[in-house]
């Protein structure tokens, strides 16, 4: 209810309060606002509908007079009736108790707030993990999708592992990274997130423990926790995840998997060194713990290509490798891949068939075109130049305005700068304060629940003007709270 498209028409002959009460009545009578639905406070409604509070008071009085809503001191105003339930002998279902049930956990509140705020076009998004809409290749994508009848676009269901021609193309693309993977060992998925979802559903028992870097992207989604798994964080240094405790953790907690983002880690931007990669592969092999390597940022290096993925040095089939075009070509296409031993890929493909019967054939067609024609590589070259400019621009602002209040490292690729605030101010308070000024932040607690002094900044999304103005204002807000 906090994000209504509809607004009353100020130039209509129907009074505003009447338009609002009619609109709300319709929502209640057709069951969109079920019995028990909380009506926002009058001030919020006035903001939502962009009218005076007195207009809201009259509209609500009308609904109350019709017996549709009721106000109670302490619990606010709720929907109490609809015509249907007055006539029906059985009460309508209590959707609120259903909503509280269900296997999947809800997002943590701050992520729900971020997701909601991201829909506001006026928001200055200083932490968003995607390319700015201006950097996405809309025009060329439009041309790519101008398909004539001769071409091999299938509008039918695809093979269980995804389009064979795309898998062949992905196989060739992976070879450029040093990964030998035949099309049979590749599963096309609807983004890296679905790869994680399939692993959690298909390979692990409830109660299993997943080791991961702390902080981690993994804490910002509930894929593993919702399947009854525990997450256990391992600290990082400048070279990536620390390896010395992995064997012990595996034994003590019977850890089932280790999840890592070695290249341009989300949220810290860390690039795992070559030596640490070798050490990690070795330690995990000795401890018999398989690795999930999440490489969705791997193509986004700035000056120099990163060391080869872990998967390139995995001769034992110990690594499940995840890639995606979401951070490069288009998050909206929802195309990624997972590479691993065939029995694992077969199992995950089987679950995917039970879940969605395959990723969009149109998206698979588009990604295949980009990868196989060389357009993807050309596009990456442009994006790397752009990201370098944006990163340097952002670092310059940080040097100027944040040197006394925060510390950071300069990322060698990806999108993120992990900003550590020097003072003990609450980053939640900062988040709320900034949001009121239409500046959206990604506080550290999203990636590690006890982290209260980091912000994940992103130089990929906001425009340069927004980055500059937003960061300068942010530095002032931090100083106000210190
Ligand atoms: C490390 C990591 N893995 C996976 C994803 C999800 O990617 P996709 O959009 O391809 O599902 C993200 C998105 O933020 C991410 O940062």
């Amino acid at each position: 209810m906090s994000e209504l498209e509809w607004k009353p028409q100020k130039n209509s002959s129907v009074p505003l309060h009447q338009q609002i009460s009619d609109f709300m009545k319709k929502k209640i009578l057709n069951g969109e606002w079920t019995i028990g639905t909380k009506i926002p406070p009058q001030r919020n409604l006035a903001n939502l509908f962009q009218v005076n509070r007195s207009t809201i008071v009259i509209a609500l009085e009308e609904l109350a007079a019709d017996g549709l809503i009721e106000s109670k001191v302490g619990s606010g105003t709720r929907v109490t009736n609809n015509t249907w339930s007055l006539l029906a002998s059985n009460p309508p279902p209590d959707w609120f108790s259903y909503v509280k049930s269900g296997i999947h956990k809800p997002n943590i509140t701050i992520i729900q707030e971020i997701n909601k705020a991201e829909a506001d076009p006026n928001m200055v998004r200083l932490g968003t993990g995607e390319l700015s809409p201006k950097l996405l290749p809309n025009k060329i994508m439009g041309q790519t999708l101008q398909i004539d009848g001769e071409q091999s676009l299938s509008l039918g269901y695809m093979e269980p592992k995804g389009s064979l021609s795309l898998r062949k193309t992905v196989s060739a693309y992976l070879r450029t990274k040093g990964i030998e993977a035949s099309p049979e060992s590749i599963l096309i998925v609807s983004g890296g997130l679905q790869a994680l979802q399939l692993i959690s559903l298909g390979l692990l028992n409830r109660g299993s423990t997943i080791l991961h870097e702390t902080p981690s992207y993994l804490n910002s989604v509930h894929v593993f926790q919702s399947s009854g798994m525990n997450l256990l964080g391992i600290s990082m240094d400048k070279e990536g995840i620390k390896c010395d405790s992995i064997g012990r953790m595996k034994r003590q907690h019977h850890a089932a998997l280790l999840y890592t983002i070695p290249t341009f880690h989300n949220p810290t931007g860390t690039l795992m060194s070559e030596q640490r990669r070798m050490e990690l592969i070795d330690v995990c092999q000795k401890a018999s713990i398989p690795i999930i390597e999440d490489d969705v940022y791997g193509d986004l290096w700035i000056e120099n290509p990163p060391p080869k993925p872990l998967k390139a040095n995995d001769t034992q089939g110990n690594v499940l490798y995840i890639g995606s075009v979401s951070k490069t070509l288009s998050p909206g296409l929802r195309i990624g891949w997972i590479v691993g031993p065939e029995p694992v890929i077969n199992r995950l493909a089987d679950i995917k068939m039970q879940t969605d019967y395959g990723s969009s054939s149109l998206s698979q067609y588009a990604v295949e075109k980009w990868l196989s024609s060389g357009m993807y590589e050309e596009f990456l070259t442009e994006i790397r130049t752009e990201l370098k400019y944006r990163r340097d621009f952002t670092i310059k602002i940080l040097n100027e305005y944040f040197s006394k209040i925060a510390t950071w490292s300069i990322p060698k690729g990806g999108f993120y700068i992990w900003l550590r605030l020097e003072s003990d101010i609450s980053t939640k308070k900062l988040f709320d304060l900034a949001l009121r000024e239409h500046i959206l932040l990604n506080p550290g607690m999203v990636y590690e629940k006890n982290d209260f002094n980091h912000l994940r900044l992103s130089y990929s999304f906001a425009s340069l003007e927004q980055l500059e103005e937003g960061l300068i204002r942010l530095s002032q807000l931090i100083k106000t709270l210190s």
Side-chain angles (χ1 to χ4, degrees):
M1 199 179 298
S2 52
E3 33 168 330
L4 292 173
E5 271 294 304
W6 182 86
K7 303 272 177 282
Q9 297 202 330
K10 304 231 156 139
N11 53 5
S12 159
S13 59
V14 182
L16 288 173
H17 67 84
Q18 188 66 52
Q19 291 183 51
I20 293 172
S21 71
D22 286 350
F23 170 79
M24 292 174 75
K25 204 178 275 181
K26 217 160 128 192
K27 286 270 184 198
I28 295 171
L29 297 186
N30 74 11
E32 284 184 41
W33 294 356
T34 54
I35 291 179
T37 300
K38 200 162 188 296
I39 305 289
Q42 291 171 1
R43 195 180 305 121
N44 297 15
L45 284 177
N47 279 337
L48 267 175
F49 293 129
Q50 292 165 6
V51 294
N52 291 328
R53 200 161 153 185
S54 53
T55 309
I56 296 295
V57 171
I58 304 173
L60 293 181
E61 276 172 2
E62 215 165 279
L63 293 171
D66 286 345
L68 297 176
I69 61 169
E70 222 175 273
S71 300
K72 277 203 183 119
V73 183
S75 68
T77 304
R78 288 183 188 273
V79 176
T80 45
N81 263 316
N82 57 38
T83 314
W84 183 83
S85 69
L86 284 177
L87 297 175
S89 52
N90 293 323
D94 175 6
W95 286 114
F96 290 92
S97 73
Y98 282 89
V99 165
K100 285 194 198 116
S101 316
I103 292 166
H104 217 285
K105 290 177 186 243
N107 263 323
I108 59 172
T109 316
I110 194 155
I111 296 185
Q112 291 184 345
E113 284 180 75
I114 292 173
N115 289 345
K116 207 182 314 161
E118 283 182 346
D120 180 347
N122 298 319
M123 200 55 76
V124 173
R125 294 160 61 175
L126 295 182
T128 294
E130 59 185 269
L131 285 178
S132 160
K134 288 218 169 82
L135 299 181
L136 293 175
N138 291 322
K139 199 163 161 213
I140 309 179
M141 187 62 78
Q143 289 159 3
T144 311
L145 292 177
Q146 277 167 12
I147 303 155
D148 66 43
E150 298 297 304
Q151 289 171 307
S152 56
L153 169 67
S154 158
L155 289 176
Y157 293 121
M158 306 242 96
E159 299 95 320
K161 290 183 189 174
S163 138
L164 179 59
S165 52
L166 175 58
R167 283 184 288 128
K168 283 182 181 164
T169 305
V170 170
S171 169
Y173 156 81
L174 291 174
R175 197 165 304 122
T176 65
K177 294 176 182 290
I179 297 174
E180 279 304 324
S182 64
E184 301 76 60
S185 67
I186 298 171
L187 170 66
I188 304 301
V189 288
S190 300
L193 187 54
Q194 190 183 47
L196 296 174
Q197 190 85 52
L198 293 172
I199 292 171
S200 81
L201 292 172
L203 302 182
L204 299 167
N205 293 316
R206 291 188 82 78
S208 303
T209 297
I210 316 289
L211 305 180
H212 60 87
E213 288 122 352
T214 184
S216 177
Y217 163 74
L218 212 53
N219 283 320
S220 70
V221 283
H222 278 151
V223 262
F224 288 109
Q225 296 96 318
S226 290
S227 298
M229 280 130 216
N230 309 310
L231 296 188
L232 198 62
I234 296 182
S235 55
M236 306 173 71
D237 61 21
K238 282 195 177 134
E239 290 191 59
I241 190 167
K242 290 191 192 164
C243 291
D244 34 349
S245 63
I246 292 175
R248 182 168 42 81
M249 296 275 226
K250 148 87 187 178
R251 285 190 300 279
Q252 277 177 358
H253 300 276
H254 306 289
L257 278 174
L258 180 137
Y259 168 86
T260 177
I261 311 164
T263 305
F264 314 130
H265 176 259
N266 180 4
T268 65
T270 308
L271 174 63
M272 193 184 286
S273 68
E274 182 141 25
Q275 200 182 342
R276 185 63 60 84
R277 288 173 194 240
M278 293 306 177
E279 200 185 336
L280 182 61
I281 292 176
D282 190 45
V283 164
C284 289
Q285 236 163 48
K286 287 195 176 117
S288 294
I289 180 163
I291 298 172
I292 306 174
E293 176 178 25
D294 189 334
D295 195 27
V296 301
Y297 298 96
D299 284 336
L300 295 171
W301 48 268
I302 293 181
E303 275 95 4
N304 299 302
K308 283 189 185 145
L310 303 173
K311 184 71 187 159
N313 290 305
D314 169 41
T315 48
Q316 310 286 321
N318 209 31
V319 178
L320 303 180
Y321 174 89
I322 296 172
S324 160
V325 296
S326 298
K327 304 297 171 182
T328 51
L329 198 55
S330 155
L333 284 178
R334 306 307 299 135
I335 292 292
W337 39 85
I338 175 157
V339 180
E342 278 187 43
V344 172
I345 294 303
N346 292 343
R347 164 79 172 138
L348 300 184
D350 182 54
I351 297 175
K352 183 160 162 68
M353 286 304 274
Q354 297 180 59
T355 311
D356 65 3
Y357 225 72
S359 300
S360 151
S361 58
L362 191 57
S363 292
Q364 295 189 59
Y365 171 87
V367 173
E368 201 227 311
K369 282 268 159 238
W370 276 81
L371 285 176
S372 63
S373 62
M375 285 189 318
Y376 182 71
E377 260 312 314
E378 273 171 38
F379 175 66
L380 285 180
T381 308
E382 279 170 37
I383 288 301
R384 285 179 192 129
T385 310
E386 189 66 40
L387 286 178
K388 176 172 164 42
Y389 187 83
R390 285 169 158 266
R391 179 202 61 185
D392 295 346
F393 180 82
T394 307
I395 294 290
K396 203 162 147 251
I397 297 168
L398 293 182
N399 283 334
E400 200 167 329
Y401 294 92
F402 287 74
S403 57
K404 292 204 175 70
I405 50 175
T407 53
W408 60 89
S409 301
I410 302 175
K412 296 191 169 91
F415 296 159
Y416 308 121
I417 298 171
W418 190 229
L419 194 75
R420 183 187 161 81
L421 305 182
E422 287 295 309
S423 62
D424 278 341
I425 64 169
S426 149
T427 42
K428 176 67 175 84
K429 219 168 174 181
L430 182 62
F431 172 84
D432 291 336
L433 199 62
L435 196 58
R436 263 183 257 151
E437 301 201 9
H438 280 88
I439 297 175
L440 182 59
L441 302 172
N442 283 46
M445 71 192 68
V446 167
Y447 311 98
E448 158 54 50
K449 71 173 183 304
N450 296 317
D451 185 318
F452 300 107
N453 47 15
H454 285 94
L455 297 176
R456 183 187 85 174
L457 295 181
S458 159
Y459 45 84
S460 62
F461 189 84
S463 67
L464 294 178
E465 299 76 44
Q466 286 181 327
L467 269 174
E468 181 163 20
E469 283 170 25
L471 285 171
I472 294 174
R473 184 65 191 133
L474 177 63
S475 72
Q476 292 163 347
L477 293 178
I478 294 172
K479 285 176 194 155
T480 324
L481 286 177
S482 297

